[in-house]
Amino acid sequence: MMAEETLVLPHLELRRRTAERDRGLREKVMSLEEAASFVSDGDHVALGGCTMSRTPTAMIWALVRAKKKNLVVSRSIMSSEGEVLYGSGISNHVITSWFSQGIVWGVSKVMRHYTESGEARFDEWSHMSIGLRYRAGAMGIPYMPVRSMIGSGVNERLGDEVKEVICPFTDERLLALPALNPDVALIHVQRADAYGNAQLDGLQFMDIDIAMAANRVILTTEQIVSNDSIRRRPDHTRIPFFTVDAVVEVPYGSAPHECYGVYEPFFDHMDTLAEQTKKDPEAGIKKYLDDFYYGPSSWSGYLDLLGADAIVDASRRGRSIYND
Amino acid sequence: MTERKNYTASELLAVMSARILKDGQIVFAGVGIPLLAATLAQGVHAPGLTILFEGGVIGPFVVPGELPPSTNEQRCTRRANMVLPITDVLLLLQRGYIDVGFMGGAQIDRYGNLNSSYIGDPEKPAIRLPGTGGGNDISSLTQMIVAMKHEKRRFVNKVDFITSPGFIDGGSSRADSGLIAGGMFRVVTDLAILAFDDDTKEMKVLALHPGVDPDEVRDNTGFDITIPDNVGRTDPPQKNELAVLRNLDPERLYTA
């Protein structure tokens, strides 16, 4: 793939790929399995959300089941979905600023197992640097100057992927971050219409920049709503339809993580995963994949495994944000 | 006769950290002790202090007994003034709106550099830690307060890896490297409050906590640390401070 050849996609190539996309107002509703075909082996896949929030779990679930290979996956902060990427083998190269299940579970044993053995790569960038790389990609410029990471080991370890630049106006030394235009972005939202106009509630994380930067966007949504209802509140629309290539309705599409105002994280499920991967991380995550990823025949089957009690509990907690 | 301590080491950390924060400041806080301390400061002496979370939250209201598990989930947006994208909340650091960055630390060295990335050689680490998150951005761009347990294995002469820069190699090396703003301000531990020498930028003891002997600090620090003869003494945590703190964290999730 040409995208792997150069760190920053040449501007005209970026525009050429964008021009080739069908950007007309058209319906794009499809199944998870159909949407998975938008991801090719070797692609750079950016994930929306952050840590345990609005993770595109269902789409990752579909990519694992479709046995994708050699994906490079970036995200602001990675949680248990990073363990799924490593454990399933669909990606052995992640780019993020922080990677463990969540602060309360300590350092991820799965992340440690795969990175310390050298089986998988975890490129560490500062949180803002990841965000500014997506933003530069969204802005159509090749790099973004930043005042952080300078002088640190984080900067040093990135080698030629970052460069010191001198400001042409002030002569200050800054760090240039390469623009990141992912091949595909996976973003989960509360609601979208069939065209891909997406409204998201609560924390936005880096999702808007990711959508603007990417060459394809797969949107999963708790609910598909009418275009009329989108048009009644256009100020709530954060991602415009022409950046979106696929729309999939997936209730509880972020479970076991949260979707703002709809459900909170499934903490017991996360506890069990942490416990199960403690002693033998590889066997633990493989069993988890067998049980929850390969086992069920559909997404509803996955939700069955999570259990109605857990879903009701997570939903009650999720909705409580609007009852304060 | 020494009086029995009526507080835990973590409570001491939270109280001592809170006292450093000033009314009116804008504070970028991590979860755990930093958030507790910032909320305690709001309740005791700094009602106009504003907390920011890395997940994109300005001025959240922390509900007693419902401390958020991280800075990126819906619980940390309760009754906030604003939510905004992560990149934009972090850019406020670069713009200069943030007075204090406040976080915990896994490993720190004599020049205040923090490591949360690798234990051992980064090429073949003994332990791969979760990484910087926003730590590097915060420490690169604003004045820092770090709260951590005072242990020899955590206070090392030189960190294995600089995740979040302090004063790098001391002296003017931080500014020379291109980091012209911010820097380490205080390190608060369960034994002492530490600061950095104006010229050498080496860590030194500013004040010892009640009942702490200077040798206890030396024994728990992995490098020679300066403890001046006229070193200060902190006042023990007061009743009202502990009361506010225990109301915030009644189950002692962070203050056990």
Side-chain angles (χ1 to χ4, degrees):
Chain A
M1 284 222 35
M2 191 190 156
E4 308 307 316
E5 306 289 325
T6 51
L7 190 59
V8 178
L9 201 59
H11 187 58
L12 289 178
E13 174 61 16
L14 178 66
R15 294 183 77 121
R16 189 188 64 76
R17 291 184 190 189
T18 307
E20 270 181 3
R21 293 159 71 189
D22 180 354
R23 284 158 289 130
L25 191 72
R26 62 189 170 92
E27 295 197 3
K28 299 153 190 167
V29 179
M30 60 186 79
S31 68
L32 282 172
E33 291 72 20
E34 287 168 319
S37 69
F38 284 67
V39 178
S40 305
D41 291 344
D43 271 355
H44 181 116
V45 178
L47 307 179
C50 180
T51 328
M52 289 187 291
S53 287
R54 278 196 306 95
T55 307
T57 310
M59 202 57 231
I60 294 169
W61 181 83
L63 297 182
V64 168
R65 289 158 65 94
K67 299 199 163 38
K68 299 293 176 186
K69 287 189 198 69
N70 302 320
L71 303 178
V72 177
V73 182
S74 63
R75 196 183 191 205
S76 69
I77 284 178
M78 288 214 180
S79 173
S80 56
E81 80 288 352
E83 301 180 313
V84 164
L85 298 172
Y86 279 176
S88 67
I90 67 167
S91 172
N92 55 14
H93 183 181
V94 305
I95 298 171
T96 191
S97 69
W98 195 91
F99 182 0
S100 271
Q101 290 153 347
I103 289 169
V104 290
W105 296 284
V107 185
S108 159
K109 296 291 193 299
V110 177
M111 179 278 284
R112 282 194 57 191
H113 171 79
Y114 285 94
T115 56
E116 289 168 16
S117 66
E119 285 174 68
R121 201 169 141 184
F122 160 16
D123 295 358
E124 181 177 335
W125 294 69
S126 81
H127 206 183
M128 188 167 80
S129 296
I130 301 250
L132 290 174
R133 290 193 65 191
Y134 290 134
R135 182 155 296 173
M139 291 169 71
I141 54 172
Y143 73 93
M144 181 75 85
V146 68
R147 295 181 186 275
S148 68
M149 288 212 301
I150 297 165
S152 71
V154 184
N155 170 13
E156 219 172 85
R157 254 188 101 65
L158 289 169
D160 286 342
E161 295 193 41
V162 288
K163 309 252 189 211
E164 190 180 285
V165 286
I166 307 291
C167 171
F169 301 103
T170 64
D171 290 333
E172 286 171 287
R173 288 158 60 201
L174 301 163
L175 205 64
L177 306 169
L180 179 48
N181 290 100
D183 294 306
V184 193
L186 314 182
I187 296 172
H188 184 72
V189 300
Q190 285 87 357
R191 76 194 78 82
D193 68 12
Y195 307 124
N197 288 301
Q199 299 190 334
L200 43 101
D201 302 329
L203 295 162
Q204 299 174 21
F205 306 115
M206 299 179 179
D207 292 25
I208 298 155
D209 286 328
I210 290 172
M212 300 296 174
N215 284 297
R216 286 189 294 284
V217 175
I218 301 175
L219 203 64
T220 56
T221 175
E222 289 292 320
Q223 189 190 2
I224 292 180
V225 297
S226 70
N227 180 249
D228 280 343
S229 79
I230 293 284
R231 287 175 189 270
R232 272 194 286 275
R233 298 196 307 172
D235 53 320
H236 287 241
T237 306
R238 297 282 177 259
I239 298 173
F241 69 92
F242 51 75
T243 65
V244 175
D245 301 87
V247 178
V248 190
E249 187 175 66
V250 199
Y252 296 94
S254 287
H257 295 171
E258 79 170 28
C259 183
Y260 194 103
V262 189
Y263 45 93
E264 272 207 329
F266 292 59
F267 287 114
D268 292 345
H269 182 97
M270 295 292 292
D271 285 343
T272 306
L273 173 62
E275 192 55 42
Q276 178 175 323
T277 49
K278 214 181 242 170
K279 283 215 179 88
D280 184 341
E282 192 170 342
I285 192 68
K286 296 235 185 270
K287 179 177 174 359
Y288 181 76
L289 289 164
D290 282 341
D291 291 346
F292 291 95
Y293 278 61
Y294 303 119
S297 59
S298 65
W299 182 250
S300 296
Y302 169 91
L303 297 179
D304 266 347
L305 293 174
L306 292 185
D309 284 346
I311 290 174
V312 168
D313 172 59
S315 305
R316 187 181 292 130
R317 286 183 280 117
R319 288 191 300 265
S320 71
I321 196 84
Y322 295 122
N323 187 28
D324 191 10
Chain B
M1 196 180 89
T2 53
E3 207 180 317
R4 248 166 74 98
K5 283 183 193 168
N6 60 345
Y7 46 84
T8 67
S10 301
E11 286 178 330
L12 181 66
L13 263 182
V15 167
M16 294 302 173
S17 308
R19 288 181 187 170
I20 296 173
L21 300 172
K22 299 189 182 81
D23 197 19
Q25 282 183 324
I26 315 273
V27 179
F28 219 94
V31 291
I33 297 290
L35 173 59
L36 268 179
T39 312
L40 172 62
Q42 285 177 326
V44 174
H45 68 272
L49 179 140
T50 298
I51 296 170
L52 263 60
F53 288 143
E54 189 172 332
V57 187
I58 295 181
F61 176 82
V62 177
V63 182
E66 289 184 41
L67 293 164
S70 91
T71 62
N72 311 306
E73 277 84 42
Q74 68 171 33
R75 278 188 202 185
C76 61
T77 67
R78 288 280 284 268
R79 288 156 67 181
N81 288 295
M82 183 179 183
V83 294
L84 71 173
I86 288 174
T87 309
D88 296 274
V89 80
L90 288 165
L91 281 169
L92 292 170
L93 290 157
Q94 187 165 272
R95 172 63 180 83
Y97 273 109
I98 316 303
D99 297 296
V100 177
F102 189 1
M103 52 194 202
Q107 191 187 57
I108 193 166
D109 69 18
R110 67 193 308 151
Y111 296 117
N113 301 302
L114 290 161
N115 176 17
S116 58
S117 301
Y118 303 92
I119 300 297
D121 176 7
E123 283 300 324
K124 195 87 186 70
I127 302 175
R128 181 56 160 117
L129 296 169
T132 154
N136 175 285
D137 302 309
I138 299 166
S139 67
S140 295
L141 300 168
T142 191
Q143 175 178 253
M144 284 281 294
I145 298 175
V146 175
M148 58 194 285
K149 292 262 164 69
H150 209 131
E151 296 169 4
K152 204 166 199 153
R153 67 187 179 102
R154 292 179 184 276
F155 282 72
V156 298
N157 187 48
K158 196 167 171 50
V159 286
D160 295 334
F161 184 86
I162 300 181
T163 307
S164 302
F167 292 108
I168 311 199
D169 296 318
S172 62
S173 61
R174 178 182 166 100
D176 294 344
S177 78
L179 293 174
I180 55 177
M184 279 288 156
F185 178 59
R186 294 285 183 270
V187 179
V188 182
T189 76
D190 44 335
L191 300 181
I193 294 179
L194 309 151
F196 294 84
D197 184 85
D198 287 345
D199 300 317
T200 67
K201 303 296 183 190
E202 277 189 324
M203 198 187 289
K204 62 178 185 185
V205 177
L206 198 62
L208 296 166
H209 294 328
V212 174
D213 186 89
D215 280 339
E216 207 177 335
V217 172
R218 286 191 193 101
D219 291 348
N220 287 286
T221 306
F223 51 90
D224 283 335
I225 188 160
T226 307
I227 307 179
D229 293 336
N230 61 345
V231 68
R233 278 281 170 191
T234 57
D235 290 331
Q238 304 295 301
K239 255 191 196 142
N240 66 325
E241 290 170 318
L242 291 171
V244 173
L245 194 56
R246 285 166 189 169
N247 181 48
L248 282 173
D249 189 19
E251 289 170 41
R252 299 208 172 188
L253 295 174
Y254 298 102
T255 51

